[in-house]
Amino acid sequence: MINVKLPCRAVAEVAAILVLLLAGCTSSKANPHEDERAFAELALSALSVARPDYSFGPAPTSDKTADGLSVTLAAYPIGAFTAEFPGKVPVTVTFDRDSGVTRVSPLPETRLGKVLELLGASKGSVEGMSNSRKLLSNMGRSVEVVAVAELTEPMTEAAVLGEDSVLSQPQRVLLSSEGGQLPLGNSLYCAQKCEGQSYEAAFQEWVATLRPQDRSTLKAFGLDLELLRAASRQGKIHGLIYENYDARTLLEISKNPKVKAMYVADVNLKCASDATALCQSTED
């Protein structure tokens, strides 16, 4: 064993450095979410990506609590006209400073979610597409439909949503195809106002902001940082969500050669209550 004698000042400086290092490690582990606003934004984006069957209110409320942080936001099932849980669903995301654990209150299953799980699991048979087209053909002009188009193969945004594409203007795009699980959604939800905005760029910009220390938080939303980065690098779209579209438009979309399968997730039969408008066939 070698004993090295250091001047008192040097010993003090080394001790001070060790204290700072230990303090930094402790605080980083105990509280990686120092910024209340940043945590709220992370929660909103993570939910949008993990649950493409919901839209979320753009202004979450966040609070510092005695135990850590709490974020509350509103979730709206997409197209849940007659779902068991219609309307607004409150979601709470909490971060516990002592344990370093993030918790997310569960969201009810939706009809759209069940359809989204078919992506990658279905072979998109000719018979299945024929049934979907027949269903759309008989819905009538005044019906609003929520549908999912699965692409024949993953494609770039430019290839799918070019200026002349009949597939343009979906509400959301799907960035993975898990088969039996919810696919990843883009982190941009802009209802009918997405014109001129890149769906893929919004997702890529969000993924670029994620840090290694966000892994545990992302896990609470069912997300994996490496899989998110891989999806961002690939830049491919696997499917499209159309919310409240007329059946005629969806019928034309289903006939596009880039579409392998069309799934009807929900229907608003508002024409049934209109005494002057009958639910006529879209093929007449």
Side-chain angles (χ1 to χ4, degrees):
M1 183 175 181
I2 300 176
N3 293 320
V4 180
K5 291 186 177 180
L6 296 175
C8 292
R9 181 177 178 182
V11 171
E13 290 175 349
V14 171
I17 291 172
L18 287 173
V19 169
L20 287 173
L21 287 174
L22 289 172
C25 291
T26 302
S27 64
S28 175
K29 180 179 180 181
N31 187 12
H33 300 295
E34 297 288 352
D35 190 332
E36 187 179 338
R37 180 178 177 182
F39 181 61
E41 291 176 353
L42 175 60
L44 177 58
S45 294
L47 279 168
S48 296
V49 169
R51 295 301 302 262
D53 54 331
Y54 278 86
S55 63
F56 297 91
T61 59
S62 57
D63 296 293
K64 286 186 177 181
T65 66
D67 299 322
L69 295 174
S70 176
V71 174
T72 302
L73 45 85
Y76 302 87
I78 294 178
F81 301 116
T82 57
E84 183 180 354
F85 300 95
K88 182 171 67 174
V89 180
V91 182
T92 302
V93 182
T94 58
F95 170 71
D96 185 271
R97 184 180 294 106
D98 292 333
S99 64
V101 174
T102 299
R103 295 182 176 85
V104 184
S105 60
L107 280 169
E109 189 177 41
T110 64
R111 288 199 186 100
L112 176 57
K114 292 179 180 179
V115 167
L116 291 175
E117 290 176 356
L118 296 175
L119 241 67
S122 169
K123 296 181 180 179
S125 66
V126 173
E127 182 181 358
M129 179 63 89
S130 176
N131 291 337
S132 295
R133 288 174 181 167
K134 186 179 297 184
L135 179 63
L136 290 169
S137 297
N138 292 321
M139 280 185 178
R141 300 179 185 277
S142 301
V143 181
E144 292 181 338
V145 183
V146 177
V148 178
E150 182 175 6
L151 301 179
T152 54
E153 61 181 1
M155 303 179 192
T156 63
E157 182 172 340
V160 180
L161 305 175
E163 291 183 3
D164 299 327
S165 175
V166 70
L167 305 178
S168 62
Q169 291 300 298
Q171 271 57 57
R172 306 203 80 178
V173 301
L174 304 168
L175 306 176
S176 68
S177 181
E178 304 302 330
Q181 299 180 23
L182 283 174
L184 300 176
N186 59 296
S187 53
L188 171 68
Y189 186 85
C190 50
Q192 302 286 349
K193 304 175 183 177
C194 285
E195 186 174 359
Q197 301 184 55
S198 170
Y199 299 82
E200 184 68 31
F203 175 75
Q204 291 172 333
E205 289 169 6
W206 175 65
V207 172
T209 67
L210 299 175
R211 308 160 299 170
Q213 54 265 46
D214 293 323
R215 279 191 174 90
S216 60
T217 300
L218 292 170
K219 187 177 180 180
F221 297 91
L223 299 173
D224 180 86
L225 180 57
E226 299 310 319
L227 292 179
L228 289 172
R229 287 174 173 171
S232 178
R233 288 192 302 269
Q234 291 166 4
K236 297 295 180 67
I237 294 174
H238 295 251
L240 310 162
I241 297 177
Y242 295 95
E243 179 185 5
N244 300 353
Y245 266 59
D246 64 274
R248 179 185 290 275
T249 299
L250 291 172
L251 187 59
E252 290 304 312
I253 290 174
S254 74
K255 296 176 181 178
N256 190 283
K258 295 177 182 177
V259 175
K260 177 173 70 173
M262 175 70 78
Y263 307 102
V264 174
D266 218 334
V267 178
N268 181 11
L269 295 172
K270 66 177 183 179
C271 63
S273 61
D274 189 341
T276 60
L278 298 176
C279 296
Q280 300 173 343
S281 170
T282 59
E283 295 282 41
D284 56 17

